[in-house]
Amino acid sequence: MKYQVPTRFVFTGVFTVEAENREEARQMVMDSCGLVMGGGIHTDLDDDEVDWDFDTHPYKETGRITKA
């Protein structure tokens, strides 16, 4: 029998950015920073504008399991 198991992987960490204020810092991370499975953390910000520190193993949680 097959089952569908909704799963969420949560990576927790910090982006450190050079910005004028909190809103600019938030917008820089929202617009320019990300994570792709198999591709790692990425950004299009300059190296002197951003640094990051993230766990390499995510927290994992599952949802309600249903028959497929």
Side-chain angles (χ1 to χ4, degrees):
M1 184 163 279
K2 292 183 181 181
Y3 293 91
Q4 291 182 335
V5 182
T7 306
R8 179 187 317 202
F9 293 96
V10 179
F11 289 87
T12 302
V14 174
F15 283 101
T16 303
V17 296
E18 182 74 31
E20 295 293 322
N21 55 52
R22 290 178 181 187
E23 178 56 29
E24 181 185 17
R26 185 189 74 74
Q27 200 61 49
M28 289 170 72
V29 171
M30 293 299 291
D31 292 345
S32 300
C33 301
L35 171 68
V36 177
M37 282 181 52
I41 294 173
H42 63 89
T43 181
D44 59 9
L45 297 172
D46 293 335
D47 287 342
D48 61 341
E49 291 183 298
V50 65
D51 194 8
W52 57 77
D53 181 18
F54 278 81
D55 293 335
T56 56
H57 298 283
Y59 167 76
K60 186 179 1 177
E61 60 185 38
T62 59
R64 184 170 177 234
I65 300 170
T66 59
K67 290 182 181 179

Coordinates of all heavy atoms in Angstrom, one line a residue:
M1 N 0.8 -1.2 0.0 CA 0.0 0.0 0.0 C 0.9 1.2 0.0 O 1.9 1.3 0.7 CB -0.9 0.0 1.2 CG -1.9 1.1 1.3 SD -3.2 0.8 2.4 CE -4.2 -0.3 1.4
K2 N 0.5 2.3 -0.7 CA 1.3 3.5 -0.8 C 0.6 4.6 0.1 O -0.6 4.6 0.2 CB 1.3 4.1 -2.2 CG 2.1 3.2 -3.1 CD 2.2 3.8 -4.5 CE 3.0 2.9 -5.5 NZ 3.1 3.6 -6.8
Y3 N 1.5 5.4 0.7 CA 1.0 6.5 1.6 C 1.7 7.8 1.2 O 2.9 7.8 0.8 CB 1.4 6.2 3.0 CG 0.6 5.0 3.6 CD1 1.1 3.7 3.5 CD2 -0.6 5.2 4.2 CE1 0.4 2.7 4.0 CE2 -1.3 4.1 4.7 CZ -0.8 2.9 4.6 OH -1.5 1.8 5.1
Q4 N 1.0 8.9 1.2 CA 1.5 10.2 1.0 C 1.9 10.8 2.4 O 1.0 10.8 3.3 CB 0.6 11.1 0.3 CG 0.4 10.7 -1.1 CD -0.6 11.7 -1.8 OE1 -1.4 12.4 -1.2 NE2 -0.4 11.8 -3.1
V5 N 3.1 11.2 2.6 CA 3.5 11.8 3.8 C 4.0 13.2 3.6 O 5.2 13.4 3.1 CB 4.7 10.9 4.4 CG1 5.1 11.5 5.8 CG2 4.3 9.5 4.6
P6 N 3.2 14.2 3.8 CA 3.6 15.6 3.7 C 4.8 15.9 4.6 O 4.7 15.5 5.8 CB 2.4 16.4 4.1 CG 1.2 15.5 4.0 CD 1.8 14.1 4.3
T7 N 5.8 16.4 4.1 CA 7.1 16.6 4.9 C 7.6 18.0 4.7 O 7.6 18.5 3.6 CB 8.1 15.6 4.5 OG1 7.6 14.3 4.6 CG2 9.3 15.7 5.4
R8 N 8.0 18.6 5.8 CA 8.6 20.0 5.7 C 10.0 19.9 6.3 O 10.3 19.3 7.3 CB 7.8 20.9 6.5 CG 8.4 22.3 6.5 CD 7.7 23.2 7.5 NE 6.2 23.0 7.4 CZ 5.3 23.9 7.7 NH1 5.7 25.1 8.2 NH2 4.0 23.7 7.6
F9 N 11.0 20.4 5.6 CA 12.4 20.5 6.0 C 12.7 22.0 6.4 O 12.5 22.9 5.5 CB 13.4 20.1 5.0 CG 13.3 18.6 4.7 CD1 12.5 18.1 3.6 CD2 14.0 17.7 5.5 CE1 12.4 16.8 3.3 CE2 13.9 16.3 5.2 CZ 13.1 15.9 4.1
V10 N 13.1 22.3 7.6 CA 13.3 23.6 8.0 C 14.8 23.8 8.3 O 15.3 23.1 9.3 CB 12.5 24.0 9.3 CG1 12.7 25.4 9.7 CG2 11.0 23.7 8.9
F11 N 15.5 24.6 7.6 CA 16.9 25.0 7.8 C 16.9 26.3 8.6 O 16.2 27.3 8.2 CB 17.7 25.2 6.5 CG 17.9 23.9 5.8 CD1 17.0 23.4 4.9 CD2 19.1 23.2 6.0 CE1 17.2 22.2 4.2 CE2 19.3 22.0 5.3 CZ 18.4 21.6 4.4
T12 N 17.6 26.3 9.7 CA 17.6 27.5 10.6 C 19.0 28.1 10.6 O 20.0 27.4 10.7 CB 17.2 27.2 12.0 OG1 15.9 26.6 12.0 CG2 17.2 28.4 12.9
G13 N 19.0 29.4 10.4 CA 20.3 30.1 10.4 C 20.2 31.6 10.3 O 19.1 32.1 10.5
V14 N 21.3 32.2 10.0 CA 21.3 33.7 10.1 C 22.0 34.2 8.8 O 23.1 33.7 8.5 CB 22.0 34.2 11.3 CG1 22.2 35.7 11.3 CG2 21.3 33.8 12.6
F15 N 21.4 35.2 8.1 CA 22.2 36.0 7.1 C 22.6 37.2 7.8 O 21.7 37.9 8.5 CB 21.3 36.3 5.9 CG 21.0 35.2 5.0 CD1 19.9 34.5 5.0 CD2 22.0 34.9 4.0 CE1 19.7 33.4 4.1 CE2 21.8 33.8 3.1 CZ 20.6 33.1 3.2
T16 N 23.8 37.6 7.7 CA 24.3 38.9 8.2 C 24.5 39.8 7.0 O 25.4 39.5 6.1 CB 25.6 38.7 9.0 OG1 25.4 37.8 10.1 CG2 26.1 40.0 9.6
V17 N 23.8 40.9 6.9 CA 23.9 41.8 5.8 C 24.2 43.2 6.2 O 23.9 43.6 7.3 CB 22.6 41.8 5.0 CG1 22.3 40.5 4.4 CG2 21.4 42.3 5.8
E18 N 24.9 44.0 5.3 CA 25.2 45.4 5.5 C 24.0 46.2 4.9 O 23.8 46.1 3.7 CB 26.5 45.7 4.8 CG 27.0 47.1 5.0 CD 27.5 47.4 6.4 OE1 28.1 46.5 7.0 OE2 27.4 48.5 6.8
A19 N 23.3 46.9 5.8 CA 22.1 47.6 5.3 C 22.0 48.9 6.1 O 22.6 49.1 7.2 CB 20.9 46.8 5.5
E20 N 21.2 49.8 5.6 CA 20.9 51.1 6.2 C 20.0 51.0 7.4 O 20.0 51.8 8.4 CB 20.4 52.1 5.2 CG 21.4 52.5 4.1 CD 22.5 53.3 4.7 OE1 22.3 54.1 5.6 OE2 23.7 53.0 4.2
N21 N 19.0 50.0 7.3 CA 18.0 49.8 8.4 C 17.5 48.4 8.3 O 17.8 47.6 7.5 CB 16.9 50.9 8.3 CG 16.3 50.9 6.9 OD1 15.8 49.8 6.4 ND2 16.2 52.0 6.2
R22 N 16.6 48.1 9.3 CA 16.0 46.7 9.4 C 15.2 46.3 8.2 O 15.3 45.2 7.7 CB 15.2 46.6 10.6 CG 15.9 46.7 11.9 CD 15.0 46.6 13.1 NE 15.7 46.7 14.3 CZ 15.2 46.6 15.5 NH1 13.9 46.3 15.6 NH2 15.9 46.6 16.6
E23 N 14.4 47.3 7.7 CA 13.6 46.9 6.5 C 14.5 46.6 5.3 O 14.2 45.7 4.5 CB 12.6 48.0 6.2 CG 11.7 47.8 5.0 CD 10.9 46.5 5.1 OE1 10.6 46.0 6.2 OE2 10.7 45.9 4.0
E24 N 15.5 47.4 5.1 CA 16.4 47.2 4.0 C 17.1 45.8 4.1 O 17.2 45.1 3.2 CB 17.4 48.3 3.8 CG 18.4 48.1 2.6 CD 19.5 49.1 2.5 OE1 19.8 49.8 3.5 OE2 20.1 49.1 1.5
A25 N 17.5 45.5 5.3 CA 18.2 44.2 5.6 C 17.2 43.1 5.3 O 17.6 42.1 4.6 CB 18.6 44.1 7.1
R26 N 16.0 43.2 5.8 CA 15.0 42.1 5.5 C 14.7 42.0 4.0 O 14.7 40.9 3.4 CB 13.6 42.5 6.2 CG 12.6 41.4 6.0 CD 11.2 41.8 6.5 NE 10.6 42.7 5.6 CZ 10.0 42.4 4.4 NH1 10.1 41.1 4.1 NH2 9.5 43.2 3.7
Q27 N 14.6 43.1 3.3 CA 14.3 43.1 1.9 C 15.5 42.5 1.1 O 15.3 41.8 0.1 CB 14.0 44.5 1.3 CG 13.3 44.5 0.0 CD 11.9 43.8 0.1 OE1 11.1 44.0 1.0 NE2 11.7 42.9 -0.8
M28 N 16.7 42.8 1.5 CA 17.9 42.2 0.8 C 17.9 40.7 0.9 O 18.1 40.0 0.0 CB 19.2 42.8 1.5 CG 19.4 44.2 1.2 SD 20.8 44.9 2.2 CE 22.2 44.1 1.4
V29 N 17.5 40.2 2.1 CA 17.5 38.7 2.3 C 16.4 38.1 1.5 O 16.5 37.1 0.8 CB 17.4 38.4 3.8 CG1 17.2 36.9 4.0 CG2 18.7 38.8 4.5
M30 N 15.2 38.8 1.5 CA 14.0 38.2 0.8 C 14.3 38.2 -0.7 O 13.9 37.3 -1.4 CB 12.8 39.1 1.1 CG 12.3 39.0 2.6 SD 11.8 37.3 3.0 CE 10.4 37.1 2.1
D31 N 14.9 39.3 -1.2 CA 15.1 39.4 -2.7 C 16.3 38.7 -3.2 O 16.4 38.3 -4.3 CB 15.2 40.9 -3.0 CG 13.9 41.6 -2.9 OD1 12.9 41.0 -2.7 OD2 14.0 42.9 -2.9
S32 N 17.4 38.5 -2.4 CA 18.7 38.1 -2.9 C 19.3 36.9 -2.3 O 20.4 36.5 -2.6 CB 19.7 39.3 -2.7 OG 19.2 40.4 -3.4
C33 N 18.7 36.3 -1.3 CA 19.3 35.1 -0.7 C 18.3 33.9 -0.7 O 17.1 34.1 -0.7 CB 19.6 35.4 0.8 SG 20.7 36.8 1.0
G34 N 18.9 32.7 -0.9 CA 18.0 31.5 -0.9 C 18.8 30.3 -0.7 O 20.0 30.2 -0.4
L35 N 18.1 29.2 -0.8 CA 18.6 27.8 -0.6 C 18.0 26.9 -1.6 O 16.7 26.9 -1.8 CB 18.4 27.4 0.8 CG 18.7 25.9 1.1 CD1 20.2 25.7 1.1 CD2 18.2 25.6 2.5
V36 N 18.8 26.1 -2.3 CA 18.2 25.1 -3.2 C 18.8 23.7 -2.8 O 20.0 23.6 -2.6 CB 18.7 25.4 -4.7 CG1 18.2 24.4 -5.6 CG2 18.2 26.8 -5.1
M37 N 17.9 22.7 -2.8 CA 18.3 21.4 -2.4 C 19.4 20.9 -3.4 O 19.2 21.0 -4.6 CB 17.1 20.4 -2.4 CG 16.3 20.5 -1.2 SD 14.9 19.4 -1.1 CE 15.6 17.8 -1.4
G38 N 20.5 20.5 -2.9 CA 21.6 20.0 -3.8 C 22.4 21.1 -4.3 O 23.5 20.8 -4.9
G39 N 22.0 22.3 -4.1 CA 22.8 23.4 -4.7 C 23.4 24.4 -3.6 O 24.2 25.2 -3.9
G40 N 22.9 24.2 -2.4 CA 23.4 25.0 -1.3 C 22.8 26.4 -1.2 O 22.0 26.8 -2.0
I41 N 23.3 27.2 -0.3 CA 22.9 28.5 0.0 C 23.5 29.4 -1.2 O 24.6 29.2 -1.6 CB 23.3 29.0 1.3 CG1 22.6 28.2 2.4 CG2 23.1 30.5 1.5 CD1 23.1 28.5 3.8
H42 N 22.7 30.3 -1.6 CA 23.1 31.2 -2.7 C 22.7 32.6 -2.4 O 21.7 32.9 -1.7 CB 22.7 30.7 -4.1 CG 21.2 30.7 -4.2 ND1 20.5 31.8 -4.6 CD2 20.2 29.8 -3.9 CE1 19.2 31.6 -4.6 NE2 19.0 30.3 -4.2
T43 N 23.4 33.6 -3.0 CA 23.0 35.0 -3.0 C 23.6 35.7 -4.2 O 24.6 35.3 -4.7 CB 23.5 35.7 -1.7 OG1 23.1 37.0 -1.6 CG2 25.0 35.6 -1.5
D44 N 23.0 36.8 -4.6 CA 23.6 37.6 -5.6 C 24.1 38.9 -5.0 O 24.5 39.8 -5.7 CB 22.6 37.9 -6.8 CG 21.3 38.6 -6.3 OD1 21.2 39.1 -5.2 OD2 20.4 38.7 -7.2
L45 N 24.2 39.0 -3.7 CA 24.8 40.1 -3.0 C 26.3 40.0 -3.1 O 26.9 38.9 -3.1 CB 24.3 40.2 -1.6 CG 22.9 40.5 -1.4 CD1 22.5 40.4 0.1 CD2 22.5 41.8 -1.9
D46 N 27.1 41.1 -3.0 CA 28.5 41.0 -2.9 C 29.0 40.4 -1.6 O 28.3 40.5 -0.6 CB 29.1 42.5 -3.1 CG 28.9 43.1 -4.4 OD1 28.7 42.3 -5.4 OD2 28.8 44.3 -4.5
D47 N 30.2 39.8 -1.7 CA 30.7 39.1 -0.5 C 30.9 40.1 0.7 O 30.7 39.6 1.8 CB 32.1 38.5 -0.8 CG 31.9 37.2 -1.7 OD1 30.8 36.7 -1.8 OD2 32.9 36.8 -2.3
D48 N 31.1 41.3 0.5 CA 31.3 42.3 1.6 C 29.9 42.8 2.1 O 29.9 43.5 3.1 CB 32.2 43.5 1.2 CG 31.6 44.3 0.0 OD1 30.7 43.8 -0.7 OD2 32.0 45.4 -0.1
E49 N 28.8 42.4 1.5 CA 27.5 42.8 1.9 C 26.8 41.7 2.7 O 25.8 42.0 3.4 CB 26.6 43.1 0.7 CG 27.0 44.4 0.0 CD 26.0 44.7 -1.1 OE1 25.9 43.9 -2.0 OE2 25.3 45.7 -1.0
V50 N 27.2 40.4 2.6 CA 26.5 39.3 3.2 C 27.4 38.2 3.7 O 28.5 38.0 3.1 CB 25.4 38.7 2.2 CG1 26.1 38.1 1.0 CG2 24.5 37.8 2.9
D51 N 27.0 37.5 4.7 CA 27.6 36.3 5.2 C 26.5 35.5 5.8 O 25.4 36.0 6.0 CB 28.6 36.7 6.3 CG 29.6 35.5 6.6 OD1 29.5 34.5 5.9 OD2 30.3 35.6 7.6
W52 N 26.7 34.2 6.0 CA 25.6 33.4 6.5 C 26.2 32.3 7.4 O 27.4 31.9 7.3 CB 24.8 32.7 5.4 CG 25.5 31.9 4.4 CD1 26.0 30.7 4.6 CD2 25.9 32.3 3.1 NE1 26.6 30.2 3.4 CE2 26.6 31.2 2.5 CE3 25.7 33.5 2.4 CZ2 27.1 31.3 1.2 CZ3 26.2 33.5 1.1 CH2 26.9 32.4 0.5
D53 N 25.3 31.8 8.3 CA 25.6 30.7 9.2 C 24.4 29.8 9.4 O 23.4 30.3 10.0 CB 26.1 31.2 10.5 CG 26.5 30.1 11.5 OD1 26.7 29.0 11.1 OD2 26.5 30.4 12.7
F54 N 24.3 28.7 8.7 CA 23.2 27.8 8.7 C 23.6 26.4 9.1 O 24.7 25.9 8.8 CB 22.5 27.7 7.3 CG 21.6 28.9 7.1 CD1 22.1 30.1 6.7 CD2 20.2 28.7 7.2 CE1 21.3 31.2 6.4 CE2 19.4 29.8 7.0 CZ 19.9 31.0 6.6
D55 N 22.7 25.7 9.8 CA 22.9 24.3 10.1 C 22.9 23.5 8.8 O 22.1 23.9 7.9 CB 21.8 23.7 11.0 CG 21.8 24.3 12.4 OD1 22.9 24.7 12.9 OD2 20.7 24.3 13.0
T56 N 23.6 22.5 8.7 CA 23.7 21.7 7.5 C 22.6 20.6 7.5 O 22.3 20.0 6.4 CB 25.0 21.0 7.3 OG1 25.4 20.2 8.4 CG2 26.1 22.1 7.0
H57 N 22.0 20.3 8.6 CA 20.9 19.3 8.7 C 19.6 20.0 9.1 O 19.6 20.7 10.2 CB 21.3 18.2 9.7 CG 22.5 17.5 9.3 ND1 22.5 16.5 8.3 CD2 23.8 17.5 9.7 CE1 23.7 16.0 8.1 NE2 24.5 16.6 9.0
P58 N 18.6 19.9 8.4 CA 17.3 20.6 8.7 C 16.5 19.9 9.8 O 16.7 18.7 10.1 CB 16.5 20.5 7.4 CG 17.0 19.2 6.8 CD 18.4 19.1 7.1
Y59 N 15.7 20.6 10.4 CA 14.6 20.0 11.3 C 13.6 19.4 10.4 O 13.3 20.0 9.3 CB 14.0 21.2 12.2 CG 12.8 20.8 12.9 CD1 12.8 19.9 14.0 CD2 11.5 21.2 12.4 CE1 11.6 19.6 14.6 CE2 10.3 20.8 13.0 CZ 10.4 20.0 14.1 OH 9.2 19.7 14.8
K60 N 13.1 18.3 10.7 CA 12.1 17.6 9.8 C 10.8 17.4 10.6 O 10.8 16.9 11.7 CB 12.7 16.3 9.3 CG 11.8 15.6 8.3 CD 12.4 14.2 7.8 CE 13.7 13.8 8.4 NZ 14.1 12.5 7.9
E61 N 9.7 17.7 9.9 CA 8.4 17.4 10.5 C 7.5 16.9 9.4 O 7.6 17.2 8.3 CB 7.8 18.7 11.2 CG 7.6 19.8 10.2 CD 7.1 21.1 10.9 OE1 7.5 21.4 12.0 OE2 6.2 21.8 10.3
T62 N 6.5 16.0 9.9 CA 5.6 15.4 8.9 C 4.2 15.9 9.2 O 3.9 16.2 10.4 CB 5.7 13.9 8.9 OG1 5.4 13.4 10.2 CG2 7.0 13.4 8.5
G63 N 3.3 15.8 8.2 CA 1.9 16.2 8.4 C 1.1 14.9 8.5 O 1.6 13.8 8.7
R64 N -0.2 15.1 8.2 CA -1.2 14.0 8.3 C -0.9 13.0 7.2 O -0.9 13.4 6.0 CB -2.6 14.6 8.2 CG -3.6 13.5 8.4 CD -5.0 14.2 8.5 NE -6.0 13.1 8.6 CZ -7.0 13.1 7.8 NH1 -7.3 14.0 6.9 NH2 -7.9 12.1 7.9
I65 N -0.7 11.8 7.5 CA -0.4 10.7 6.5 C -1.8 10.2 5.9 O -2.7 9.9 6.7 CB 0.4 9.6 7.1 CG1 1.7 10.2 7.6 CG2 0.6 8.5 6.1 CD1 2.5 9.2 8.5
T66 N -1.8 10.1 4.6 CA -3.0 9.6 3.9 C -2.7 8.5 3.0 O -1.5 8.4 2.5 CB -3.7 10.7 3.2 OG1 -2.8 11.3 2.2 CG2 -4.2 11.8 4.1
K67 N -3.6 7.7 2.6 CA -3.4 6.7 1.6 C -3.3 7.3 0.2 O -4.1 8.3 0.0 CB -4.5 5.6 1.6 CG -4.5 4.7 2.8 CD -5.6 3.7 2.7 CE -5.6 2.8 4.0 NZ -6.7 1.8 3.9
A68 N -2.4 6.9 -0.6 CA -2.2 7.5 -1.9 C -3.2 6.9 -2.9 O -3.7 5.8 -2.8 CB -0.8 7.2 -2.4

